[in-house]
Amino acid sequence: MSEIDLTLVKKAKKGDEDALYQLILSHKEQLYRMAISYLKNEDDAIEAIQETTYRAYKGIKKLRKNEYFTTWLIRILLNYCHDEVKKKKRVVYNDQLIQSIEDPAHRTSIETEDAIRSLEHPYQHVIMLKYLHDLKINEIAQILDCPEGTVKTWLHKGLRLLRNQLKEKDGDFHV
């Protein structure tokens, strides 16, 4: 996090609404991409960003370490998106994720999406954060509030489960 951003976080924690607005604005594209990948609907994604902004405004003083503002903000968004998906009883995946892990010569997006959908919650999250949003292991660990080793385990196991499912369908799969 840059010194400018750290200064803005300090100001925001002291009640400077403009500083918080600037911080949210600098993250809006990343937040939108994440929200749309989970919710698969522009209106829902915008609503998620609005709710995240509101929750950040209400909770900024509770942020313990200023340098973790970005991961704190992403965690707020992911928690909201997860709750919304759960409410709708559906899981949604972005086409970019599907394209990034499928082998177009052997399977369709629908087959890959079905395989990902059948994975348990932590495996879905780490696969999406790693391959869709290009986050590093340590960033994913901060967002999910768990040790890096756990993220690595979930990622390894999730990819293995995904590979096995897709192998059963068409023989071979490489991630």
Side-chain angles (χ1 to χ4, degrees):
M1 183 168 243
S2 73
E3 286 299 318
I4 295 169
D5 285 346
L6 284 173
T7 302
L8 288 173
V9 171
K10 288 176 189 173
K11 287 181 178 180
K13 286 176 75 172
K14 291 179 182 176
D16 185 335
E17 292 176 10
D18 288 333
L20 181 61
Y21 177 73
Q22 288 178 3
L23 285 164
I24 299 285
L25 208 54
S26 70
H27 292 86
K28 74 176 183 176
E29 188 176 318
Q30 181 182 24
L31 293 173
Y32 178 78
R33 283 193 323 268
M34 287 184 172
I36 202 82
S37 72
Y38 277 88
L39 303 173
K40 198 77 169 195
N41 176 302
E42 187 173 355
D43 291 338
D44 291 345
I46 291 169
E47 170 106 14
I49 293 169
Q50 289 172 339
E51 183 63 25
T52 299
T53 301
Y54 173 74
R55 290 179 184 183
Y57 173 77
K58 288 300 223 182
I60 187 70
K61 292 179 182 176
K62 295 176 188 172
L63 176 64
R64 291 187 190 135
K65 293 186 178 184
N66 295 347
E67 61 272 16
Y68 292 137
F69 174 81
T70 302
T71 54
W72 173 77
L73 189 63
I74 291 170
R75 187 177 309 136
I76 292 170
L77 177 77
L78 289 180
N79 287 339
Y80 175 83
C81 289
H82 177 69
D83 290 345
E84 287 302 300
V85 168
K86 209 165 149 183
K87 280 182 197 174
K88 294 177 182 180
K89 301 274 189 212
R90 64 184 172 95
V91 179
V92 181
Y93 297 94
N94 187 301
D95 291 338
Q96 292 174 355
L97 170 68
I98 294 164
Q99 291 170 1
S100 74
I101 63 172
E102 72 183 6
D103 178 359
H106 293 102
R107 71 187 56 84
T108 66
S109 297
I110 294 169
E111 289 172 324
T112 304
E113 185 174 347
D114 287 344
I116 294 169
R117 186 178 307 210
S118 69
L119 296 176
E120 292 179 25
H121 173 72
Y123 310 127
Q124 291 175 17
H125 270 321
V126 295
I127 288 172
M128 289 182 74
L129 291 171
K130 176 76 173 144
Y131 293 103
L132 175 62
H133 300 293
D134 294 325
L135 295 180
K136 296 176 182 163
I137 299 293
N138 65 335
E139 294 170 324
I140 296 169
Q142 289 173 1
I143 290 167
L144 298 178
D145 197 24
C146 66
E148 287 182 32
T150 301
V151 171
K152 290 176 185 177
T153 300
W154 287 345
L155 187 60
H156 178 74
K157 187 172 181 181
L159 290 174
R160 189 178 72 233
L161 290 168
L162 189 58
R163 238 182 249 114
N164 290 339
Q165 286 180 25
L166 294 171
K167 261 185 200 179
E168 289 174 13
K169 289 187 179 194
D170 61 17
D172 205 11
F173 176 68
H174 301 283
V175 173

